[in-house]
């Protein structure tokens, strides 16, 4: 029998999305969101800012030496001024992120992309890991986030 040649993995399809976003029933603008292979990826700092002051808030710290992002649930997020400021399309720079992630000190295995120097995570993965609800209203093309009470 002929040997099969393994197929080359398909390139990731990365593009900005203009879908509407609601957090706890309120419209939110300014988030830089990319659709990657059919799923919505958000800048981690945007998600932290949107959930700040809710039951799903989390603090974010970065250890450059260890190349590790640390999230602490239940703690207030400290903004750095880059949140919710959509800029130019940076999709051409998208690569899988090599940085590790911990949540409350435990290693978390979530797929992330580095786009324009920021880490983007799949919204549904973050919701599951951090305890907030993610939904989608196809009729209005609206992404929906609801924090824990």
């Amino acid at each position: 029998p002929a040997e099969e040649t393994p197929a080359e993995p398909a390139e990731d399809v990365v593009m900005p999305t203009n879908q509407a976003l609601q957090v706890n029933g309120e419209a939110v603008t300014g988030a830089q969101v990319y659709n990657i292979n059919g799923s919505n990826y958000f800048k981690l700092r945007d998600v932290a800012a949107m959930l700040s002051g809710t039951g799903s808030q989390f603090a974010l710290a970065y250890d450059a030496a260890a190349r590790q992002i640390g999230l602490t649930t239940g703690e207030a997020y400290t903004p750095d001024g880059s949140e919710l400021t959509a800029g130019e399309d940076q999709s051409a720079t998208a690569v899988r992120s090599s940085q590790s992630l911990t949540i409350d000190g435990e290693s978390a295995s979530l797929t992330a992309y580095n786009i324009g120097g920021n880490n983007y995570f799949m919204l549904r993965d973050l919701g599951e890991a951090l305890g907030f609800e993610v939904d989608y209203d196809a009729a209005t093309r609206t992404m929906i986030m609801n924090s824990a009470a």
Side-chain angles (χ1 to χ4, degrees):
E3 282 188 39
E4 287 189 34
T5 305
E8 286 293 313
E11 288 289 318
D12 291 322
V13 177
V14 181
M15 65 184 123
T17 183
N18 60 0
Q19 296 174 24
L21 172 64
Q22 283 186 0
V23 178
N24 294 330
E26 299 291 322
V28 174
T29 59
Q32 186 80 48
V33 183
Y34 288 93
N35 184 294
I36 303 176
N37 301 329
S39 295
N40 291 310
Y41 281 71
F42 279 70
K43 185 166 72 171
L44 195 53
R45 289 189 177 279
D46 284 354
V47 175
M50 290 184 289
L51 293 174
S52 188
T54 73
S56 297
Q57 73 179 358
F58 61 93
L60 187 154
Y62 180 65
D63 181 339
R67 296 185 45 79
Q68 184 173 70
I69 303 163
L71 307 181
T72 306
T73 59
E75 290 191 8
Y77 171 68
T78 303
D80 74 355
S82 69
E83 302 81 6
L84 302 173
T85 55
E88 295 290 316
D89 175 11
Q90 299 279 324
S91 57
T93 69
V95 294
R96 293 251 180 165
S97 179
S98 60
Q99 297 176 6
S100 61
L101 175 72
T102 62
I103 299 174
D104 297 330
E106 298 292 320
S107 180
S109 180
L110 302 180
T111 300
Y113 286 82
N114 185 295
I115 304 174
N118 291 293
N119 287 294
Y120 286 75
F121 289 84
M122 187 187 308
L123 188 59
R124 287 192 187 278
D125 285 352
L126 285 174
E128 189 173 306
L130 296 170
F132 62 89
E133 180 183 285
V134 175
D135 204 355
Y136 181 72
D137 183 337
T140 61
R141 291 180 32 94
T142 302
M143 298 172 284
I144 299 167
M145 294 171 54
N146 290 309
S147 67

